[in-house]
Amino acid sequence: MSSFFANVEVAPPDIVFHVTTAYNNDTSPDKCNLGVGAYRTEEGNPWVLPVVRSVETALAADETLNHEYLGIDGLRIFSDCASRLLLGPSSKAIVENRVCGVQSISGTGALRLGGNFLKTFYPLGKTIYISDPTWANHRPIFTSAGYSDIRTYPYFHPASRGLDFDGMSKTLMAAEDSAIVVLHMCAHNPTGVDPSPEQWKKICDIVKAKKFFTIFDCAYQGFVTGDPDVDAAPVRLFVDEGLEFMAAQSFSKNFGLYNERAGNLTVVCNTPDNAIAVRSQLKKVVRPMYSNPPNHGARIVVTVLNNKAYEEEWRVNLKTMTDRIHLMRKLLHSKLQQLRTPGTWVHIEEQKGMFTYTGLSPPQVDYIQDVYHIYMLRTGRINMCGLTQRNLDHVAKAIDDAVRKFSSPSLNGRL
């Protein structure tokens, strides 16, 4: 019998979720998942932040709440809080009422909203520049929004495991004026490499000189230093320099609300009238796409950020996560030093946020998975949260063994 779907081919699996599936199917007691992009405790478990647990209990007992639809642009007080968290409560843009915030389906949804909006209202921006490498979902998001000319700017410098700032600057300066540039605010995914404050100032100067429109991906606010205000410095710099931009915020990591899909698209405009118009058109994008966003995650965030005691507790919880990440970086580097693993591994401590771009090659990654049952992306990206005191020796031994067995082009000049 013929089928309407006979010509539908099976799509290749998503890389990150495929790694998790392979890990889940592995029966080895030594298995370790360093691929998943989520925080894990020292016991290797997901963590519901204590402040989130307290707020959920309070919300469940609040009989004044209901399950009515939110507005098309979501829970407005949530968006207001999210924008204040990003820009700072005393931000000139907020004080002057020229910020538009629209609740989104996490950071992914915020990027897609921004892409759809710009495709319609920013005809000068025919080209989008993303970092090389970048989060694997960036290109599909903007392709789905209708962009066909998506280019890259150099970002990661393999020899130093740091930022290729010279290559990045030269490429952006050579780009056409008025292009759209996607920047990671902090804790760059997948490399863990961030520009210095001085480099951010130069990036800002390039954006102004080239009349670029910037989209910030803000998925990890607070995950670098443990202080969300410090981590937001690049975005706040752009406000101080009088630039208009979009910022896609996610509360998956810093609130642990992964499956609640709580996000926000913050748009900084030049005038209050611009902000009103932008909001109205973003609502027109939302309505036929998903009508309106979910309530629960947004309600948790706004309850925390609008209550001084809850917010203070949240900042302590956030610091707990970042402190553990910093410790795992230090301990893994120390283990590799003890093993005298070929190469210089100081980048493990120098890189920032949840991920480390190890420099391991695909054959080394495959070997580590096959022999040691340790799962990571074939790019060599590992999630530092997947490390624990119990598996550190196992992981360090696996890396040491793989590096000695296979020569990695990424390690050239570092051996």
Side-chain angles (χ1 to χ4, degrees), residues 16-29 31-36 40 44 46 369 373-376:
V16 175
F17 287 92
H18 181 66
V19 169
T20 299
T21 299
Y23 167 80
N24 290 336
N25 292 336
D26 192 332
T27 58
S28 170
K31 69 179 182 177
C32 176
N33 188 0
L34 304 182
V36 63
R40 293 291 181 264
Q369 178 174 316
H373 304 273
I374 298 170
Y375 293 81
M376 66 184 77

Side-chain angles (χ1 to χ4, degrees), residues 60-111:
D62 187 346
E63 295 187 1
T64 66
L65 299 177
N66 54 52
H67 297 285
E68 289 294 299
Y69 291 121
L70 297 181
I72 296 173
D73 54 350
L75 192 64
R76 182 70 69 88
I77 54 174
F78 160 75
S79 287
D80 291 344
C81 282
S83 296
R84 284 198 301 271
L85 179 68
L86 182 67
L87 305 178
S90 60
S91 170
K92 187 177 181 181
I94 289 178
V95 172
E96 294 174 355
N97 294 316
R98 49 188 179 87
V99 175
C100 163
V102 172
Q103 186 183 339
S104 61
I105 311 299
S106 201
T108 304
L111 289 167

Side-chain angles (χ1 to χ4, degrees), residues 250-283:
S250 169
F251 293 90
S252 295
K253 272 72 175 182
N254 55 16
F255 270 76
L257 297 173
Y258 300 95
N259 65 16
E260 299 297 347
R261 314 311 293 145
N264 187 64
L265 179 64
T266 289
V267 186
V268 174
C269 306
N270 277 343
T271 70
D273 286 345
N274 290 156
I276 292 170
V278 168
R279 178 183 299 279
S280 71
Q281 293 295 341
L282 283 171
K283 288 168 71 173

Side-chain angles (χ1 to χ4, degrees), residues 94-262:
I94 289 178
V95 172
E96 294 174 355
N97 294 316
R98 49 188 179 87
V99 175
C100 163
V102 172
Q103 186 183 339
S104 61
I105 311 299
S106 201
T108 304
L111 289 167
R112 179 62 187 274
L113 281 180
N116 279 38
F117 175 89
L118 291 174
K119 186 63 179 174
T120 300
F121 293 100
Y122 187 54
L124 291 177
K126 300 182 185 302
T127 304
I128 293 185
Y129 283 84
I130 57 178
S131 65
D132 180 21
T134 193
W135 180 43
N137 216 14
H138 275 156
R139 188 177 291 273
I141 287 171
F142 293 112
T143 299
S144 297
Y147 287 92
S148 57
D149 191 0
I150 303 174
R151 307 180 191 181
T152 61
Y153 55 85
Y155 193 84
F156 186 71
H157 192 268
S160 67
R161 311 289 216 291
L163 178 65
D164 183 3
F165 187 70
D166 185 57
M168 177 184 183
S169 301
K170 288 179 179 177
T171 298
L172 292 180
M173 283 303 297
E176 62 275 31
D177 289 357
S178 304
I180 299 168
V181 178
V182 179
L183 298 171
H184 299 234
M185 182 181 76
C186 65
H188 183 274
N189 179 6
T191 70
V193 174
D194 289 344
S196 67
E198 295 76 19
Q199 289 169 332
W200 270 117
K201 181 62 172 67
K202 292 178 181 178
I203 292 169
C204 185
D205 290 341
I206 293 173
V207 168
K208 287 195 292 184
K210 298 294 294 183
K211 300 178 182 177
F212 291 150
F213 187 86
T214 306
I215 302 176
F216 280 99
D217 190 334
C218 311
Y220 300 94
Q221 185 177 359
F223 254 68
V224 173
T225 64
D227 186 334
D229 295 308
V230 174
D231 287 1
V235 168
R236 297 180 186 187
L237 169 66
F238 274 52
V239 173
D240 293 341
E241 293 294 325
L243 292 168
E244 293 182 298
F245 59 85
M246 289 180 170
Q249 297 172 260
S250 169
F251 293 90
S252 295
K253 272 72 175 182
N254 55 16
F255 270 76
L257 297 173
Y258 300 95
N259 65 16
E260 299 297 347
R261 314 311 293 145

Side-chain angles (χ1 to χ4, degrees), residues 348-367:
I348 292 175
E349 290 196 63
E350 291 175 343
Q351 292 174 8
K352 299 174 175 65
M354 183 176 283
F355 301 115
T356 289
Y357 222 49
T358 59
L360 294 170
S361 67
Q364 290 169 336
V365 171
D366 293 341
Y367 176 78

